[in-house]
Each structure stands twice: as structure tokens, then as C-alpha cells.
Amino acid sequence: MLEADNLECVRGERRLFAGLGFKLEAGELLYLQGRDGAGKTSLLSVLGTALAPTAGNAHILGTPVPAGASAALRNRIGTVHQAPPLPGRQRVVTAVLAGKLGQWPAWRSLASLLYPLDVAGARAALDRVDLADKLFARCDQLSGGQLQRVGIARVLYQQPDLILADEPVSALDPTLALNTIRLLVADAEARGATLVASLHAVDLALGNFTRIVGVKGGRIAFDLPADQVSTPLLHELYASEG
């Protein structure tokens, strides 16, 4: 599913991460743990082919990147952003259906932008995140938490082989955040998809993910099954590097 070897990413004079390497099998549930600025978001951007590594090698879904980062590969990757890039004037139904625009023929994609072609499918995806009543609302009429759930509904509708989630529930209350993470995990497990997520809430990760990768200072501090990640290990991960 995914293999990274000695990945490095430098932007300007800043090294975002270096020496990162791991393998991920289809169906794994991996959680990236670490302080803000540790390199988690940058790593997710590389895995999603949105950011090219400066050095090292990566194969995603059997394809080398960035050279092979084609539209076909991107269509198999679904990304849930902390702040989904949804145009304010766009209707929620259109935002959800955008999850499959790259999978549809060009004529259908263009037609769906003018008039939603799969309203039932969009409604079903929104119903899974309790937003079916917002189907025809404009995105600028929604709260930050609702926009996050629209972004998740779009990925659920897309049904990608690889789901990348960067702080996907940061704007949700604890109960809704837990239910949403469980939904993403259940969807990945049901389809045999791989889920890689970064979350601030450690308890959400330890209770739902099978593998934890600790990232500190742009490098992997540990890579362990979730039941082997101890409180002292987490304290060390968050300890100052100075």
C-alpha cells in the first residue's frame, strides 16, 4: 500500500522532516503522534502527492512519487483537511460529489458542476455524518465543525483506497469527534482501505488505531502497536528538544 524510505523534505531554510521510513499494508490504521511542527502535516502532504519530497523514495499504492503522481493515483487517495478548502458559495451537495469528479468521465464531471447528478449518493454520505439536512445549503452558511464533516462526507463518497486525515475533528465536541473517528475507522475497515491520521486527542487514537508512529523534530521517534505505547513514551515524545 505505502512504502517510504529515508524521506526528507526541505522548504527554504527549514527542514520539515528527514530520514523518515516505514511500510504500510493495505487496511492498516496508522496514527501520527507528535507536537505541532513535528512534521506530521508535511508528511501527510507528501503521502497525498500535494508536496514533493526533497530526497528519499516513496511508493504509494504501488506507484513511485512524485514522478508518478498522476491524476489516476490522486483519485485513489482521499484527504480530510483540518480546514476543508470548500468555496463559500458552493452548495454542500456539490462539495460532496466533488469526491468522485476525477473518477467520472469528463462530460459527467462538467454536468455535475452545473446540476448535481447523484443527489441520493451525496445525501447518503451526509447522513453518515448527521448533515443530510444541509444537502442544499451553501458552505459559507456552515460552522467550522460542519465544514469538517462535509469534508469527511466527501471522502466517504469518494471511497478511496488511502485516506489521509489531518486533524479532521479539531472543531468538533468530544462526543461528536469520537463518533466521527469511529466512522472513518469503520469505513476503512469495511472496505479494506488504509487510514493515516493526525489528531491532537491522544485518547481518540489509542482507542481506535492499531499502530502509532511518534514524530519528533521531523524524525520518527517510535513506531509501535497502539497497545505498546505507554504514558512515559508519550511524555518523552512531547518533551522539549532544547
Side-chain angles (χ1 to χ4, degrees):
M1 173 61 70
L2 189 154
E3 183 174 358
D5 179 37
N6 204 31
L7 282 184
E8 179 181 74
C9 193
V10 177
R11 287 296 176 268
E13 297 183 356
R14 184 186 175 196
R15 179 178 282 107
L16 303 177
F17 57 77
L20 295 189
F22 55 88
K23 293 181 180 180
L24 201 58
E25 301 296 335
E28 281 202 77
L29 307 171
L30 185 145
Y31 166 61
L32 297 173
Q33 176 71 50
R35 300 173 61 170
D36 288 341
K40 305 185 302 295
T41 295
S42 299
L43 176 58
L44 287 172
S45 295
V46 169
L47 300 182
T49 75
L51 183 64
T54 307
N57 301 295
H59 283 72
I60 300 172
L61 301 171
T63 303
V65 294
S70 63
L73 175 61
R74 294 189 182 100
N75 289 336
R76 298 177 64 193
I77 302 172
T79 302
V80 183
H81 301 273
Q82 182 175 11
L86 304 176
R89 297 179 62 84
Q90 188 176 61
R91 298 291 179 183
V92 169
V93 60
T94 305
V96 173
L97 294 180
K100 284 192 177 178
L101 289 185
Q103 302 174 23
W104 289 343
W107 67 267
R108 185 173 184 181
S109 297
L110 291 173
S112 189
L113 290 174
L114 298 174
Y115 184 84
L117 295 184
D118 187 13
V119 174
R123 182 183 287 111
L126 287 165
D127 188 52
R128 297 177 71 183
V129 294
D130 297 323
L131 283 179
D133 60 324
K134 302 296 184 182
L135 181 66
F136 292 108
R138 282 185 8 176
C139 289
D140 58 8
Q141 297 173 327
L142 305 184
S143 67
Q146 289 173 328
L147 286 173
Q148 282 192 327
R149 286 187 283 159
V150 170
I152 290 169
R154 178 165 63 179
V155 169
L156 294 175
Y157 181 73
Q158 179 187 354
Q159 295 190 312
D161 297 313
L162 174 61
I163 303 172
L164 305 173
D166 187 16
E167 301 294 347
V169 295
S170 59
L172 306 184
D173 65 62
T175 299
L176 192 53
L178 174 60
N179 292 339
T180 303
I181 290 299
R182 285 177 173 172
L183 173 63
L184 281 172
V185 168
D187 179 75
E189 289 181 328
R191 298 188 297 104
T194 299
L195 172 61
V196 182
S198 169
L199 303 166
H200 278 306
V202 180
D203 56 328
L204 288 180
L206 296 179
N208 293 284
F209 289 79
T210 55
R211 181 175 167 190
I212 313 294
V213 170
V215 183
K216 184 174 183 178
R219 295 183 179 274
I220 292 180
F222 61 81
D223 183 349
L224 295 169
D227 58 7
Q228 293 183 22
V229 177
S230 63
T231 299
L233 196 61
L234 291 174
H235 285 169
E236 174 61 26
L237 185 67
Y238 283 88
S240 172
E241 297 179 82

